[in-house]
Amino acid sequence: MIHLRDVKKSYSRGEQSVLACAVDRLDIGTGEQVALIGRSGTGKTTVLHILAGILRPDCGEIEVAGKRLDKMGESARDRHRGRNIGMVYQTFNLLQPFTALENVLLGALFGRGAGGDAKERASSLLDKVGLGDRMHHRPGELSVGQVQRVAICRALINDPQLILMDEPLGNQDKTTGGQVLDMMLQIASDTNKTVIMVTHDPESAKRMQRTVDLASLRSGVAEEAAK
Ligand SMILES: Nc1ncnc2c1ncn2[C@@H]1O[C@H](COP(=O)(O)OP(=O)(O)O)[C@@H](O)[C@H]1O
Ligand SMILES: [Mg+2]
């Protein structure tokens, strides 16, 4: 499902160049559920954005769901993302003027999920994450934990092959977080979806099949840090 080779992304700030992420090699199979861990600032969000095709790295090969993202232009990557990838952003990125239900439905506009039953599927997802009675609330009228759960529903609405989540449960209490993650992972394993979740929570990481520490994928970092 995923193959990364010699991928690097840096940002330049004036004369200084900041290495945001470096991955020599990462392979993830179809249906795998992977926790991505690493200290703050080690490039976890950057890697997820590269996998989603939102960011283009400076170099390297990126294969996701059979497509070489490094050989595709921005609009082709956007289409690929809409069809194949569900993304839960670290900052959620819900649209404020729209209700929870509308935000989930907006996700369907960009993917293959815009069929006639989209509304039923959106309601049923919101119900499953315990927001059945909050569907017509706007993000500003929801708690951060509830907004997070709406973002998870939006990521699932298109039935994507690959689900990328950037600390999706950081604002949940333990019980709710555990329940939402279990529901996600159940849907994923029933339908053989691949899941990559950035997390700081060892309990959440344990629920995944495999844990990848971003630091272990980077070479040349010690030299960079020493400079
Ligand atoms: N747009 C940007 N411009 C400059 N530096 C950035 C930008 N985005 C991220 N970085 C830097 O890249 C590094 C990795 O960031 P990020 O992927 O967000 O880390 P993580 O998600 O692991 O906390 C950090 O050192 C961060 O400061
Ligand atoms: Mg991050």
Side-chain angles (χ1 to χ4, degrees), residues 39-46 48 90 166-167 198 200:
R39 277 177 307 146
S40 176
T42 49
K44 302 180 295 298
T45 296
T46 306
L48 282 199
Q90 191 163 17
D166 205 347
E167 306 191 41
V198 171
H200 280 113

Side-chain angles (χ1 to χ4, degrees), residues 10-211:
S10 323
Y11 291 100
S12 50
R13 304 208 95 252
E15 304 210 327
Q16 193 194 12
S17 166
V18 178
L19 182 66
C21 89
V23 174
D24 288 351
R25 188 187 178 109
L26 174 64
D27 297 292
I28 294 173
T30 300
E32 268 201 280
Q33 301 181 346
V34 177
L36 184 63
I37 61 166
R39 277 177 307 146
S40 176
T42 49
K44 302 180 295 298
T45 296
T46 306
V47 169
L48 282 199
H49 286 198
I50 288 171
L51 291 173
I54 297 165
L55 265 183
R56 173 173 230 152
D58 307 326
C59 58
E61 291 177 14
I62 312 144
E63 189 184 313
V64 176
K67 289 266 160 49
R68 281 286 296 272
L69 296 191
D70 52 296
K71 300 199 166 184
M72 289 158 67
E74 192 175 340
S75 55
R77 295 200 309 272
D78 287 346
R79 273 197 304 279
H80 179 260
R81 179 165 63 257
R83 295 210 185 101
N84 302 297
I85 299 174
M87 175 96 190
V88 182
Y89 296 87
Q90 191 163 17
T91 49
F92 322 128
N93 296 0
L94 293 191
L95 299 176
Q96 297 300 327
F98 296 100
T99 66
L101 182 63
E102 287 163 347
N103 266 285
V104 176
L105 279 170
L106 280 166
L109 274 185
F110 300 103
R112 46 169 129 226
D117 65 340
K119 201 163 172 187
E120 275 127 73
R121 281 184 298 114
S123 321
S124 138
L125 281 168
L126 285 164
D127 221 15
K128 279 193 186 148
V129 300
L131 294 176
D133 56 351
R134 293 289 188 279
M135 293 195 198
H136 304 295
H137 283 54
R138 298 199 170 95
E141 299 158 351
L142 296 170
S143 75
V144 183
Q146 290 171 331
V147 167
Q148 252 172 354
R149 282 180 270 155
V150 176
I152 289 173
C153 294
R154 185 184 53 185
L156 294 176
I157 189 73
N158 291 321
D159 198 26
Q161 303 178 53
L162 172 63
I163 301 164
L164 302 173
M165 302 189 284
D166 205 347
E167 306 191 41
L169 302 166
N171 290 289
Q172 307 292 337
D173 60 81
K174 249 195 155 84
T175 312
T176 311
Q179 283 168 354
V180 173
L181 182 56
D182 285 345
M183 178 211 88
M184 278 265 339
L185 296 179
Q186 189 63 51
I187 293 177
S189 64
D190 288 349
T191 49
N192 206 31
K193 311 265 185 264
T194 310
V195 181
I196 306 180
M197 178 175 74
V198 171
T199 182
H200 280 113
D201 173 34
E203 288 295 317
S204 300
K206 264 193 239 152
R207 286 176 145 96
M208 310 295 277
Q209 294 162 347
R210 182 175 145 203
T211 295

